[in-house]
């Protein structure tokens, strides 16, 4: 199957579910759904973390897992240009989960809620015969809604932050001792989370354990950009979503993909290509957006104002150009290759 199974299932459901009404400005297919209401646009999204698919219970500190659950939910709302406001929290738990574990998980969720200004106003709690499920549905508001489908030829392709760190962090965690991992939790800074103040490679591990994002950045950028997506599946797949839904092609310059010094050193140590990790690695929760070249100064001002790094990594091309990546003067096909949750 060339296409990931997850995408095939969503497509199948989209075809067989009854079509939405006119009030639904955007249904299945973007980072979040959008309802038009008399008071403005409401944005809805839901995200689930499943034990042994998204996290290992013995390796992922529950406080950091709680933060991650909230960040993942908030990320899809901000990728639409929305601001998160309310949440519904659903937990499915096997009987043997310790109270202490759940309390720490709850404290992490509470930290995320305070950090993002999100109010959890309900949910559901039930047993699970196997893995832990943590599901957060997030509801927010948006003025200018930014979809995946409205980029045009000539737009520049931007990404925030650095890419691939979360994936390298996961690789480090898989080979690390329990002791090393538990020390990572103590490095999390509650006051001003800046993972890159921690020693390496714990910085990379924190990017996997507890990504923390700026919830307002999407809405601030919304007036200046044509299309936006959060990088949860990996750069090549998430750019693929924009190209597919905007009926466009793209050219990425491999050397311009922003790589942290920590990832560079990690890749040297593991013998991997850091750009390859960045292209395929998911869960960075950075933003990828496309905007007209004339908007560059305006965008830089917004990003500088929030202390966020922004990098132009390529440009949007006509659909029949396809999706390509330039390595020096050589141009190759950009292959899909994100994280496949069904592949394990
Ligand atoms: P993201 O990676 O941004 O969270 P997904 O790849 O999970 O997005 O989902 C893509 C789109 O498909 C979203 O619009 C989402 O709401 C929709 N979707 C995913 N799973 C289902 C499902 N089981 N039923 C209906 N819609 C779904
Ligand atoms: Mg998304």
């Amino acid at each position: 199957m060339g296409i990931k199974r997850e995408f095939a299932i969503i497509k199948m459901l989209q075809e067989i579910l009854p079509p939405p009404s006119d009030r639904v400005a955007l249904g299945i297919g973007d980072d979040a759904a959008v309802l038009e209401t008399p008071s403005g646009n409401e944005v809805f999204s839901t995200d689930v973390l499943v034990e042994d698919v998204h996290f290992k219970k013995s390796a992922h500190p529950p406080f950091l897992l709680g933060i991650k659950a909230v960040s993942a939910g908030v990320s899809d709302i901000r990728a639409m240009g929305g601001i998160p406001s309310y949440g519904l929290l659903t937990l499915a738990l096997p009987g043997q989960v310790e109270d202490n574990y759940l309390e720490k998980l709850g404290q992490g969720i509470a930290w995320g809620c305070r950090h993002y200004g999100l109010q959890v106003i309900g949910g559901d709690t039930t047993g699970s015969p196997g893995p832990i499920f943590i599901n957060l549905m997030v509801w927010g508001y948006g003025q200018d809604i930014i979809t995946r489908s409205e980029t045009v030829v000539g737009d520049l392709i931007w990404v925030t932050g650095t890419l691939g760190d979360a994936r390298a962090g996961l690789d480090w965690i898989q080979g690390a001792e329990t002791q090393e991992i538990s020390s990572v939790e103590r490095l999390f800074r509650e006051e001003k989370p800046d993972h890159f103040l921690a020693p390496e490679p714990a910085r990379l591990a924190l990017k996997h354990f507890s990504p923390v994002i700026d919830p307002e950045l999407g809405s601030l950028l919304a007036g200046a950009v044509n299309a936006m997506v959060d990088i949860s599946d990996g750069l090549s797949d998430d750019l693929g979503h924009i190209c597919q839904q905007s009926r466009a092609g793209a050219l990425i310059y491999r050397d311009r993909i922003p790589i942290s010094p920590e990832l560079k050193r990690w890749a040297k140590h593991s013998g991997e290509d850091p750009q390859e990790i960045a292209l395929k690695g998911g869960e960075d929760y950075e933003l990828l957006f496309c905007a007209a070249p004339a908007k560059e100064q305006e965008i830089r001002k917004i990003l500088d104002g929030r202390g966020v790094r922004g990098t132009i990594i390529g440009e949007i091309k006509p659909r029949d150009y396809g999706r390509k990546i330039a390595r020096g003067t050589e141009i190759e096909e950009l292959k899909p290759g994100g994280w496949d949750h069904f592949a394990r």
Side-chain angles (χ1 to χ4, degrees), residues 4 6-7 9-11 13-14 17 26-33 44-48 72 75-76 79-80 148 229-233 238 241 245 285 341:
K4 284 205 308 189
E6 180 183 335
F7 304 149
I9 295 170
I10 295 170
K11 192 160 177 279
L13 286 169
Q14 196 172 10
L17 287 168
L26 205 58
I28 295 173
D30 220 296
D31 285 300
F44 298 82
S45 170
T46 186
D47 216 74
V48 65
S75 178
D76 278 325
M80 302 303 297
R148 298 172 175 182
V229 67
D230 66 333
I231 304 183
S232 56
D233 293 334
D238 287 313
H241 291 139
Q245 291 178 34
Y285 297 107
H341 290 128

Side-chain angles (χ1 to χ4, degrees), residues 20-318:
S21 70
D22 291 348
R23 264 191 65 190
V24 181
L26 205 58
I28 295 173
D30 220 296
D31 285 300
V34 181
L35 286 191
E36 274 169 9
T37 76
S39 56
N41 293 309
E42 297 187 2
V43 190
F44 298 82
S45 170
T46 186
D47 216 74
V48 65
L49 295 179
V50 179
E51 182 183 356
D52 291 334
V53 175
H54 301 92
F55 67 96
K56 294 271 177 218
K57 180 166 178 277
S58 59
H60 205 131
F63 178 76
L64 301 182
L65 182 63
I67 293 172
K68 182 168 189 164
V70 185
S71 295
V74 165
S75 178
D76 278 325
I77 300 293
R78 86 164 178 160
M80 302 303 297
I83 299 221
S85 303
Y86 302 102
L88 296 173
L89 174 67
T90 298
L91 300 173
L93 306 163
Q96 71 274 16
V97 182
E98 312 81 2
D99 288 349
N100 182 37
Y101 180 91
L102 292 178
E103 225 163 89
K104 286 192 173 144
L105 178 69
Q107 280 162 0
I109 293 170
W111 187 93
C113 288
R114 279 193 297 275
H115 190 78
Y116 298 127
L118 184 80
Q119 302 173 53
V120 170
I121 54 172
D124 197 16
T125 305
T126 183
S128 164
I132 298 171
F133 285 72
I134 307 164
N135 166 239
L136 186 66
M137 182 243 156
V138 184
W139 164 18
Y141 297 95
Q143 283 212 316
D144 299 324
I145 295 297
I146 304 299
T147 66
R148 298 172 175 182
S149 54
E150 288 171 75
T151 186
V152 293
V153 174
D155 275 358
L156 300 177
I157 302 168
W158 294 68
V159 291
T160 62
T162 56
L163 302 182
D165 298 306
R167 178 55 197 275
L170 175 63
D171 289 343
W172 175 77
I173 292 158
Q174 282 168 347
E177 304 287 331
T178 318
Q179 240 176 328
E180 286 178 290
I181 289 172
S182 59
S183 72
V184 172
E185 190 176 11
R186 290 196 290 276
L187 298 168
F188 182 81
R189 284 164 189 257
E190 304 218 359
E191 294 305 317
K192 189 179 178 297
D194 183 347
H195 296 345
F196 286 91
L197 292 176
E200 348 180 1
R203 297 174 208 175
L204 299 171
L206 277 173
K207 287 278 277 192
H208 167 76
F209 280 148
S210 55
V212 177
I213 62 175
D214 175 348
E216 287 171 34
L217 187 59
S219 80
L220 292 170
L221 287 166
V225 309
N226 292 333
M228 188 152 60
V229 67
D230 66 333
I231 304 183
S232 56
D233 293 334
L235 173 59
S236 59
D237 278 4
D238 287 313
L239 174 65
H241 291 139
I242 285 198
C243 288
Q244 204 177 9
Q245 291 178 34
S246 294
R247 300 174 175 278
L251 172 64
I252 295 294
Y253 299 97
R254 198 184 173 92
D255 297 344
R256 294 197 198 161
I257 298 171
I259 305 290
S260 69
E262 291 76 12
L263 177 58
K264 258 182 216 156
R265 281 191 283 270
W266 168 262
K268 205 166 183 187
H269 156 84
S270 66
E272 287 165 284
D273 177 346
Q275 268 84 15
E276 205 58 34
I277 299 177
L279 279 163
K280 293 185 178 159
E283 299 196 322
D284 286 313
Y285 297 107
E286 296 293 346
L287 288 172
L288 183 157
F289 54 89
C290 307
K295 298 282 185 185
E296 181 172 347
Q297 289 318 314
E298 184 182 343
I299 290 169
R300 292 224 179 270
K301 217 169 146 195
I302 296 166
L303 296 175
D304 288 349
R306 306 299 287 184
V308 173
R309 173 175 174 177
T311 310
I312 296 167
I313 60 164
E315 64 194 271
I316 294 296
K317 297 279 192 188

